[in-house]
Amino acid sequence: MAIIRDMIPAFELFQPTTVEDALVLLAEHGQGAWVLAGGLDSYDWFKDRIKRPEAVIDLGGIDELTGISDAQDGLEIGAMTTLTEIVRHERVRSEYTLLADAAEHVATPQIRNQGTLGGNISQDTRCWYYRSGWPCYRAGGNTCYAAAPQAMNREHAIMGTSRCVAVSPSDTAHALVALDAKMIVRGRRSSNVYDAEDFFIGPATDITRMTVLESGDLLTQINIPGEWANAHFYYEKVRDRGSWDFQLVSVAAAFKTSGNTIDDARIVVNGVAPFPVRLDAVERLVRGTSVDEAVAIEAGEIAIQGSHALKYNEYKQPMMSNLVRRAVRSVA
Amino acid sequence: MGRWLDFESNPWGQEVLQGVSLDLMYLAIGLAVLFTLGHWFWYRRRGFSKQEEVAEAQGSVAGIPERIVRHTLASRIFHWSMAASMLVLLVTAFVPLLGLEFAWVTIHWIAGAVLILTIVYHVIHSIGWQDFWSMMSMGAKDVREGISHFRHVLSPKAPTPEKPGKYPFDHRMYHNGIVVVSLAAIVTGVLMTLRIETPFWEPNTYYPFVDQAVSGYSELGEPVISLTPGATTGLMFVIHGIAGVSLILMVTAHIYFAIRPDKRWFTWSMIRGWIDREHYLAHFDPDKWSVSDGSVQEQAPGGAIADSVVSAPRVDD
Ligand code: HEM
Ligand code: HEM
């Protein structure tokens, strides 16, 4: 449906070199501004002419937004750090394998060289009705075309929906929630720290956004606390083709264990809702238990309680259930 | 028009009506604030005639109880549950649009369902047990009474108007306005609820207005999207939105009058149920709203409302 045109419509390009300047530009251009990170989501929108910003603020020249540094407790990752850097970073690879694993599952090596962590978690949904320019809820309209009786919704949500049934496409978002990462968001006047879990918002709260970021805000840094370093991790992504694709369903889990007993757990699934879904009920079930097949099966069953399939995505229920079961079983 | 209505373009570049714009909400909020402040200042500056200052109780007190029941317990319960659901509807609809975001949709439709239940109860109660027409009637006589009352409000020098029956003209106008606007919000609200997730039915976003046939066929010859919602769906959102913003104005004005010092005796009647004899004699025409100590008098047509249960017995503490 999307019509690829030969040229991107004109916009004014700004290339600030400090966060402060970027914030001033964002404030100046308000709703007309577009934040450009790696450009992998942005240029799709521009080429299809579905989003036509007046001013594009390219963060590529802001050095303070890139790089990974050791913090007193954990790591501080600049929002513009590329996924490749994350995948290759020594401490990420040794202490936070979950994140390295997740980042490595993003698209292709070329895309990971260009794509950033901040961009990966702030990218917009892949719902093709929305991306093809249908005036749906997310685009400011009054209808969800993907939930309609005859809609093609194989990739859409089975939980967490509210009128809109699009899913969060990010491969790293749920890993960051599992690691209890903190997102530093700066605005003109204030700076806020969000738990990764609260950074992503669903359509019940705001149907036009996927994160707390509003016009004028900039995600500058992602802090990974030491709390979950060297935990037992599990990451698995199911996609239609192994080489390069968005997830259908994926799971990111962190377990603190003694032997095969789980002392604490954070289990998060993505691709099933408009935001990464933390499975509180499953975590409660497994905390303090020594894992065997029965626990793993029960975890998988509880995970999908309350889920609701659309016409073509019923398969996501057993898929999610199985992924959660495998995550829990990995501890045994 | 473009400023008050919201259009979005579809993949063919056609502009499709979606609903009312945010500007309309700001307009209503602005007007509500202007009206309240304006009325407040104007009323302070208006000046009062001697007569008005001491609203005199006229007529004989014989046979008139000290406390006159104005709203039965049943009507008060109705009023407050309806008011609560209406306030929840307004808050859930507009507060998120003003920037304080929360998951509003579920609370909104549940409050809508409560509103519908209270109104169904109220309609049955008022047709069966109250004098239905005294609240609804808008005959020429009523209008004349209203106009002379309005003139007097504008200028203390205008002749003192005839006293009304149980429900003065402005109260009736307000009621009728609320009826029309709430019904519009309710009818469209129910249709909109059919399109979203509730425990009761499968949501269908194509419901109820599907008005644009798109003849797209897949390679297998199946219609890909055979029908899409369009301008009629938008119209439903427009009606809901206009009713919604009108309610901002109506409810603000209503609450403003209820808390004004000179109207507090009305407000108390919605809380404790009765008004005292002095206010009754000063503000109402006993021929049109007749109450008596122990007996109910039937009214001549066009007269007031004796809520048959209401007006009769004296209320004790
Ligand atoms: C009488 C007072 C009411 C007011 C002031 C009101 C106002 C509004 C407003 C302004 C919206 C749009 C909000 C937005 O898009 O952010 C809305 C949406 C909605 N209203 Fe109401 N409403 C009222 C009554 C009702 C009733 C009685 C129902 C149902 C029984 C209802 C059901 C809905 C639904 C389901 C939506 C969401 C529609 C959608 O986004 O698809 N409303 N309302
Ligand atoms: C929370 C603030 C409110 C206060 C203090 C209040 C107060 C009152 C009072 C004192 C009356 C009686 C007037 C009389 O005796 O003639 C009344 C009547 C009425 N109110 Fe409210 N009200 C409130 C909210 C609402 C809301 C939100 C609605 C719905 C939109 C509403 C609808 C009505 C209607 C339709 C009547 C006329 C019915 C009758 O007199 O039996 N009120 N209100």
Side-chain angles (χ1 to χ4, degrees), chain B residues 70-71 79-80 82-83 167 171 178 254-255 258 266-267 270:
Chain B
R70 185 163 171 86
H71 303 291
H79 177 267
W80 292 115
M82 185 245 339
Y167 290 103
H171 292 215
I178 277 277
H254 182 65
I255 295 176
F266 266 132
T267 312
M270 199 34 105

Side-chain angles (χ1 to χ4, degrees), chain A residues 137 142 163, chain B residues 86 89-90 92-94 97 104-105 108-109 111-113 115-116 182 185-186 188-190 192-193 195-196 237 240-241 243-245 247:
Chain A
Y137 282 117
N142 61 24
R163 299 164 292 155
Chain B
M86 180 63 78
L89 281 162
L90 284 169
T92 49
F94 295 111
L97 294 176
W104 61 275
V105 187
H108 187 80
W109 72 255
L115 178 75
I116 292 172
S182 318
I186 286 173
T188 49
V190 168
M192 284 151 83
T193 309
R195 311 167 90 240
I196 66 166
F237 276 76
H240 198 75
V245 297
L247 282 161

